[in-house]
Amino acid sequence: MVTGNVDTHLPVTVLVQDTSSFSVDIKSQGYEGLIGLGPNTGSVIRDKLDSASGDSVLDRIFSQNTTSANYLTILLNREGDPDSPATGQLTVSEVLPQYSNITSMPKLPVTKVHRLTDEDQHWQVLTDVNGVLGPDGQPIQVDSIVPSAPDGQLVVVFDSGFTLPQVPRAMADAIYGRVRGAEYNTASEVWTIPCDQLIPLTFKFGGVEYPIHPLDVSSSDFNMVDSLGNPVCVGTFQPITSAFSLLGEYDIILGMAFLRNTYTLFDYGNFMENTAADRGDPYVQLLPITDVNTAHKDFVQVRLNGVDTTGDAAHSLLPADQMQHSPISEAEKKKAYEEMILSRWPYIFVGCLAFVLIVAGLITWRCCVRRRKRREAKAANMRLPDTSMPPRSPGAQAISFSRLEDGAMPDNMEMRESKGYSEYRTSDYHRPSFASSRTRV
């Protein structure tokens, strides 16, 4: 086993079966970049090779030991924080001893994307109702763009590849828009605030509150200045722009500024194809590791040189009706309109299909009705007159044909010849026919 380091400052363990030509300095051998820690689903390499030779890193690890659970844990460190862990740590199928109680935290089920777009599957879960508490301690009211999201909840993606978490624009405005001296930098599309401003922020998942360290709510690492040339810090929870979900699959991406405040467990479950023991639904567990009081002291020490001025009037929030709002670009408006259509395409498709079926049914019904009416009209035109009771000749009287007592016919009865069917036949075939006799008056 050989241990090395990557740019994310996470210790990495590499299994080397042939050490004869292996060097610890893997960078000198041309190995540099990011290691994907997702399942085969969505892997470009797996899709290109279309075979087990392109399986993801974790899929290979989990398939080597099918009796262990398919989970990964991540602990990130915070540079410049006196109480932060010295280094970040990553474990596979085991938890850190000092945070073993993570297994007792609520299991947050991963929300699945539509099967047709499963390549976009992320580690995404639902917040609680009113799951984001702003600087004033009140819930930040934002509607989800995900059609299937329950009312009052937002769909959150966990992604350690994002330094700055991405949140809806209205949420970013609610976090930073009431800070005195805050400005929105349209060129960089970020909020900037005075570095000595402490901003409380809390997320809620599974009934548990996860406070964010104030050193993670704003960052002094970007060397930015405001419109007056004063050094400012960048608000880390920024309006979601380039990472906006056109398919409406998520609302928020929580990157490192959030993940530094939790010890996080990702259980892959049935995301993995070649394992047997852990085949349940994937889930996420979060253990809060930020203590609010300790974090306050850290902020005072790092940003205020040990003098706590967070309660001064200069650091109070502006009234809600004076909150600043960041501008929305035309490109962002266009994305919002596109999302409204694309995210609802299954419903639009079903609606259109139902409309077509209804119209086709109405047309078929109308045609059947018209055809039936035509048949009835045609049958009525072809019906013969009723000849069962022929009309009487003038002056004729009905008589009874009952026999007389002696069997003779009445004296006033006479037989007369009448034309029958024979007169309508050819001349060489004449036959007299007799109609019923009538009584003369």
mmCIF file of all heavy atoms in Angstrom, residues 381-399:
data_model
loop_
_atom_site.group_PDB
_atom_site.id
_atom_site.type_symbol
_atom_site.label_atom_id
_atom_site.label_comp_id
_atom_site.label_asym_id
_atom_site.label_seq_id
_atom_site.Cartn_x
_atom_site.Cartn_y
_atom_site.Cartn_z
ATOM 1 N N ASN A 381 -85.712 5.579 -46.929
ATOM 2 C CA ASN A 381 -86.064 5.838 -48.328
ATOM 3 C C ASN A 381 -86.416 4.561 -49.077
ATOM 4 O O ASN A 381 -87.194 4.562 -50.027
ATOM 5 C CB ASN A 381 -84.919 6.555 -49.036
ATOM 6 C CG ASN A 381 -84.715 7.967 -48.501
ATOM 7 O OD1 ASN A 381 -85.655 8.580 -47.979
ATOM 8 N ND2 ASN A 381 -83.494 8.477 -48.601
ATOM 9 N N MET A 382 -85.853 3.468 -48.698
ATOM 10 C CA MET A 382 -86.090 2.202 -49.382
ATOM 11 C C MET A 382 -87.289 1.437 -48.826
ATOM 12 O O MET A 382 -87.680 0.416 -49.354
ATOM 13 C CB MET A 382 -84.846 1.309 -49.289
ATOM 14 C CG MET A 382 -83.621 1.887 -50.004
ATOM 15 S SD MET A 382 -82.195 0.827 -49.796
ATOM 16 C CE MET A 382 -82.781 -0.665 -50.605
ATOM 17 N N ARG A 383 -87.991 1.903 -47.800
ATOM 18 C CA ARG A 383 -89.078 1.176 -47.169
ATOM 19 C C ARG A 383 -90.315 1.186 -48.082
ATOM 20 O O ARG A 383 -90.736 2.234 -48.576
ATOM 21 C CB ARG A 383 -89.405 1.803 -45.818
ATOM 22 C CG ARG A 383 -90.391 0.999 -44.989
ATOM 23 C CD ARG A 383 -90.580 1.623 -43.628
ATOM 24 N NE ARG A 383 -89.296 1.651 -42.928
ATOM 25 C CZ ARG A 383 -88.853 2.723 -42.276
ATOM 26 N NH1 ARG A 383 -89.565 3.819 -42.271
ATOM 27 N NH2 ARG A 383 -87.708 2.665 -41.654
ATOM 28 N N LEU A 384 -90.975 0.016 -48.377
ATOM 29 C CA LEU A 384 -92.168 -0.101 -49.233
ATOM 30 C C LEU A 384 -93.405 0.317 -48.472
ATOM 31 O O LEU A 384 -93.477 0.166 -47.246
ATOM 32 C CB LEU A 384 -92.319 -1.543 -49.714
ATOM 33 C CG LEU A 384 -91.192 -2.061 -50.616
ATOM 34 C CD1 LEU A 384 -91.417 -3.521 -50.918
ATOM 35 C CD2 LEU A 384 -91.131 -1.242 -51.896
ATOM 36 N N PRO A 385 -94.475 0.813 -49.216
ATOM 37 C CA PRO A 385 -95.728 1.181 -48.543
ATOM 38 C C PRO A 385 -96.415 -0.060 -48.000
ATOM 39 O O PRO A 385 -96.286 -1.157 -48.525
ATOM 40 C CB PRO A 385 -96.548 1.844 -49.658
ATOM 41 C CG PRO A 385 -95.985 1.321 -50.927
ATOM 42 C CD PRO A 385 -94.540 1.110 -50.674
ATOM 43 N N ASP A 386 -97.251 0.116 -46.973
ATOM 44 C CA ASP A 386 -97.963 -0.984 -46.318
ATOM 45 C C ASP A 386 -99.190 -1.367 -47.161
ATOM 46 O O ASP A 386 -100.136 -0.597 -47.305
ATOM 47 C CB ASP A 386 -98.404 -0.544 -44.929
ATOM 48 C CG ASP A 386 -98.984 -1.706 -44.151
ATOM 49 O OD1 ASP A 386 -99.012 -2.827 -44.676
ATOM 50 O OD2 ASP A 386 -99.403 -1.444 -43.001
ATOM 51 N N THR A 387 -99.159 -2.560 -47.765
ATOM 52 C CA THR A 387 -100.279 -3.043 -48.631
ATOM 53 C C THR A 387 -101.106 -4.123 -47.960
ATOM 54 O O THR A 387 -101.883 -4.813 -48.595
ATOM 55 C CB THR A 387 -99.702 -3.599 -49.948
ATOM 56 O OG1 THR A 387 -98.808 -4.666 -49.622
ATOM 57 C CG2 THR A 387 -98.971 -2.523 -50.716
ATOM 58 N N SER A 388 -100.924 -4.303 -46.703
ATOM 59 C CA SER A 388 -101.692 -5.355 -46.017
ATOM 60 C C SER A 388 -103.172 -5.033 -45.945
ATOM 61 O O SER A 388 -104.006 -5.919 -45.869
ATOM 62 C CB SER A 388 -101.120 -5.559 -44.610
ATOM 63 O OG SER A 388 -101.227 -4.341 -43.876
ATOM 64 N N MET A 389 -103.569 -3.765 -45.955
ATOM 65 C CA MET A 389 -104.978 -3.366 -45.937
ATOM 66 C C MET A 389 -105.220 -2.440 -47.104
ATOM 67 O O MET A 389 -105.101 -1.207 -46.985
ATOM 68 C CB MET A 389 -105.294 -2.656 -44.614
ATOM 69 C CG MET A 389 -105.203 -3.556 -43.396
ATOM 70 S SD MET A 389 -106.477 -4.824 -43.404
ATOM 71 C CE MET A 389 -107.919 -3.815 -43.192
ATOM 72 N N PRO A 390 -105.517 -2.983 -48.319
ATOM 73 C CA PRO A 390 -105.699 -2.131 -49.495
ATOM 74 C C PRO A 390 -106.926 -1.245 -49.322
ATOM 75 O O PRO A 390 -107.898 -1.612 -48.653
ATOM 76 C CB PRO A 390 -105.893 -3.148 -50.622
ATOM 77 C CG PRO A 390 -106.386 -4.369 -49.947
ATOM 78 C CD PRO A 390 -105.739 -4.400 -48.603
ATOM 79 N N PRO A 391 -106.900 -0.071 -49.924
ATOM 80 C CA PRO A 391 -108.040 0.847 -49.782
ATOM 81 C C PRO A 391 -109.280 0.272 -50.481
ATOM 82 O O PRO A 391 -109.195 -0.443 -51.466
ATOM 83 C CB PRO A 391 -107.540 2.107 -50.477
ATOM 84 C CG PRO A 391 -106.497 1.648 -51.423
ATOM 85 C CD PRO A 391 -105.852 0.478 -50.766
ATOM 86 N N ARG A 392 -110.436 0.614 -49.942
ATOM 87 C CA ARG A 392 -111.692 0.156 -50.527
ATOM 88 C C ARG A 392 -112.093 1.065 -51.671
ATOM 89 O O ARG A 392 -111.818 2.257 -51.659
ATOM 90 C CB ARG A 392 -112.782 0.157 -49.479
ATOM 91 C CG ARG A 392 -112.477 -0.744 -48.277
ATOM 92 C CD ARG A 392 -113.473 -0.502 -47.202
ATOM 93 N NE ARG A 392 -113.100 -1.261 -46.010
ATOM 94 C CZ ARG A 392 -113.641 -1.057 -44.828
ATOM 95 N NH1 ARG A 392 -114.543 -0.126 -44.673
ATOM 96 N NH2 ARG A 392 -113.266 -1.794 -43.795
ATOM 97 N N SER A 393 -112.788 0.453 -52.637
ATOM 98 C CA SER A 393 -113.339 1.257 -53.725
ATOM 99 C C SER A 393 -114.564 1.994 -53.226
ATOM 100 O O SER A 393 -115.195 1.588 -52.262
ATOM 101 C CB SER A 393 -113.732 0.345 -54.911
ATOM 102 O OG SER A 393 -114.703 -0.590 -54.477
ATOM 103 N N PRO A 394 -114.912 3.106 -53.871
ATOM 104 C CA PRO A 394 -116.055 3.894 -53.406
ATOM 105 C C PRO A 394 -117.307 3.044 -53.392
ATOM 106 O O PRO A 394 -117.614 2.323 -54.331
ATOM 107 C CB PRO A 394 -116.136 5.010 -54.449
ATOM 108 C CG PRO A 394 -114.750 5.117 -54.990
ATOM 109 C CD PRO A 394 -114.217 3.717 -54.992
ATOM 110 N N GLY A 395 -118.043 3.188 -52.351
ATOM 111 C CA GLY A 395 -119.323 2.493 -52.219
ATOM 112 C C GLY A 395 -119.235 1.056 -51.811
ATOM 113 O O GLY A 395 -120.252 0.372 -51.703
ATOM 114 N N ALA A 396 -118.026 0.561 -51.638
ATOM 115 C CA ALA A 396 -117.893 -0.863 -51.287
ATOM 116 C C ALA A 396 -118.158 -1.080 -49.822
ATOM 117 O O ALA A 396 -117.915 -0.194 -49.012
ATOM 118 C CB ALA A 396 -116.521 -1.362 -51.671
ATOM 119 N N GLN A 397 -118.612 -2.227 -49.457
ATOM 120 C CA GLN A 397 -118.878 -2.579 -48.077
ATOM 121 C C GLN A 397 -118.135 -3.856 -47.728
ATOM 122 O O GLN A 397 -117.951 -4.735 -48.556
ATOM 123 C CB GLN A 397 -120.378 -2.811 -47.851
ATOM 124 C CG GLN A 397 -121.222 -1.556 -47.998
ATOM 125 C CD GLN A 397 -122.674 -1.851 -47.713
ATOM 126 O OE1 GLN A 397 -123.066 -3.013 -47.574
ATOM 127 N NE2 GLN A 397 -123.471 -0.789 -47.641
ATOM 128 N N ALA A 398 -117.713 -3.908 -46.541
ATOM 129 C CA ALA A 398 -117.043 -5.127 -46.072
ATOM 130 C C ALA A 398 -118.066 -6.195 -45.789
ATOM 131 O O ALA A 398 -119.154 -5.914 -45.305
ATOM 132 C CB ALA A 398 -116.236 -4.821 -44.813
ATOM 133 N N ILE A 399 -117.748 -7.388 -46.127
ATOM 134 C CA ILE A 399 -118.654 -8.506 -45.878
ATOM 135 C C ILE A 399 -117.932 -9.579 -45.122
ATOM 136 O O ILE A 399 -116.692 -9.612 -45.095
ATOM 137 C CB ILE A 399 -119.212 -9.075 -47.194
ATOM 138 C CG1 ILE A 399 -118.051 -9.686 -47.993
ATOM 139 C CG2 ILE A 399 -119.956 -8.024 -47.998
ATOM 140 C CD1 ILE A 399 -118.561 -10.486 -49.176
#
